Amino acid sequence: EELLQRRVRALGLYGVLAHWAELCDAPWLTALVEHEEKERAHRSLERRLKNSSVGAFKPIADFDWKHPTKIDRRLITELFNLEFLTEGINPIFFGPNGVGKSLIVKNLTHHAVHKGHTALFVSASAMLNDLAAQDGPIARKRRFRRYTSPTLLCIDEVGYLSYDSGHADLLFEVVTQRYEANAAIAITTNRSFGEWNEVFPNAACVVTLVDRLCHRAEIVTIEGESYRVKEAKERTKKRRAKRTKARAKKKTRSRK
């Protein structure tokens, strides 16, 4: 009965609590609480999935672990335990284009949401342009919450474009706020930290920015040919074989 009362209180069913003595033994009360809990959990999951902006993605079960020439599968599997969230560790995925960095991080975002966490997946350019577009410091401060409040923030494609010092300062502020709150950031990048001065040329904050990201970080290096290039080559090979087969059929028919 005490447990049921706690569940009713957690749901905020104060009308039931106010008449607890007369309702606590009602045969329908347990079923009501269970239905309400399930519905709220369902709506909470839907809301968190929508807010995560993870979009469509290929499931990690379909990832070709044999394609990269270098990848630490055990470390990536451990990240899906989500212990790094409670420890405020930043998983940093280094590697060239097309080796699966974004795929892994999108799956990590989705998994975190299904485990009850709030998460946001966003490209570096989308986040920095969004913050830069805010009209005035008050609006920008409110907008920062979008990137500082989730349990997990995933910033995709750092290094694919270069940014001015103003954008570097915005990223520095996001990283600093999350660093001070011990909140995890997952990052995908095609540049080593030593090259981030080229991503943010003339930005004075880069050294400190990198230092705060690395202080609590799990580095995941992936090497290999672009999987998209591999798929494109395979499609070209199949189309060529299909055309060759069609020409051979046509020749056979013409001889008849």
Side-chain angles (χ1 to χ4, degrees):
E1 185 179 317
E2 190 179 326
L3 174 60
L4 183 60
Q5 190 174 17
R6 284 202 300 269
R7 289 164 68 189
V8 169
R9 183 173 286 107
L11 291 169
L13 301 177
Y14 298 113
V16 175
L17 288 171
H19 300 276
W20 185 251
E22 58 191 274
L23 295 176
C24 63
D25 293 324
W28 47 264
L29 182 57
T30 301
L32 171 69
V33 170
E34 287 175 355
H35 288 314
E36 189 65 25
E37 286 173 339
K38 285 178 183 176
E39 181 58 27
R40 291 194 188 190
H42 174 70
R43 282 188 280 122
S44 174
L45 175 59
E46 283 191 332
R47 184 173 60 255
R48 284 182 283 108
L49 279 172
K50 183 180 178 182
N51 291 341
S52 73
S53 299
V54 74
F57 60 93
K58 186 177 180 181
I60 195 75
D62 295 340
F63 183 71
D64 184 359
W65 294 97
K66 293 179 181 178
H67 176 69
T69 55
K70 178 182 179 181
I71 189 168
D72 191 336
R73 184 173 182 175
R74 181 179 294 178
L75 173 56
I76 292 168
T77 302
E78 283 177 5
L79 288 173
F80 278 81
N81 293 334
L82 302 178
E83 289 176 8
F84 72 92
L85 292 177
T86 55
E87 298 167 10
I89 291 172
N90 305 319
I92 312 292
F93 294 80
F94 288 103
N97 300 350
V99 292
K101 304 185 301 297
S102 299
L103 181 154
I104 293 166
V105 173
K106 281 189 173 187
N107 274 274
L108 200 58
T109 307
H110 188 259
H111 182 62
V113 169
H114 272 271
K115 289 297 182 180
H117 301 285
T118 54
L120 173 63
F121 180 92
V122 64
S123 70
S125 60
M127 181 183 76
L128 297 178
N129 289 333
D130 176 35
L131 289 169
Q134 300 306 306
D135 188 16
I138 295 173
R140 188 170 293 166
K141 186 177 180 181
R142 280 199 300 264
R143 197 60 173 166
F144 263 113
R145 293 193 198 108
R146 171 171 167 78
Y147 305 105
T148 58
S149 60
T151 309
L152 173 62
L153 173 66
C154 299
I155 308 175
D156 194 33
E157 298 180 337
V158 177
Y160 289 76
L161 299 172
S162 59
Y163 302 93
D164 61 26
S165 57
H167 283 77
D169 290 342
L170 292 171
L171 179 59
F172 177 77
E173 184 62 29
V174 170
V175 169
T176 297
Q177 287 191 34
R178 294 190 66 86
Y179 176 78
E180 290 172 351
N182 208 38
I185 305 174
I187 287 178
T188 72
T189 179
N190 62 340
R191 301 288 196 101
S192 67
F193 282 134
E195 297 174 299
W196 276 33
N197 279 313
E198 298 171 27
V199 181
F200 303 102
N202 307 314
C205 64
V206 173
V207 173
T208 310
L209 167 66
V210 169
D211 184 63
R212 288 182 181 176
L213 279 173
C214 289
H215 181 216
R216 298 187 295 262
E218 194 75 75
I219 306 298
V220 183
T221 302
I222 306 175
E223 296 175 1
E225 181 191 25
S226 167
Y227 195 78
R228 289 185 287 272
V229 172
K230 174 178 175 282
E231 285 185 328
K233 286 178 179 177
E234 287 173 354
R235 281 195 300 270
T236 301
K237 189 177 178 181
K238 284 178 183 177
R239 284 198 296 267
R240 190 178 292 128
K242 193 176 179 181
R243 285 196 297 269
T244 303
K245 191 176 178 180
R247 282 196 294 267
K249 268 188 178 181
K250 194 175 179 181
K251 272 186 181 178
T252 303
R253 282 197 300 269
S254 63
R255 282 173 189 158
K256 291 178 182 178

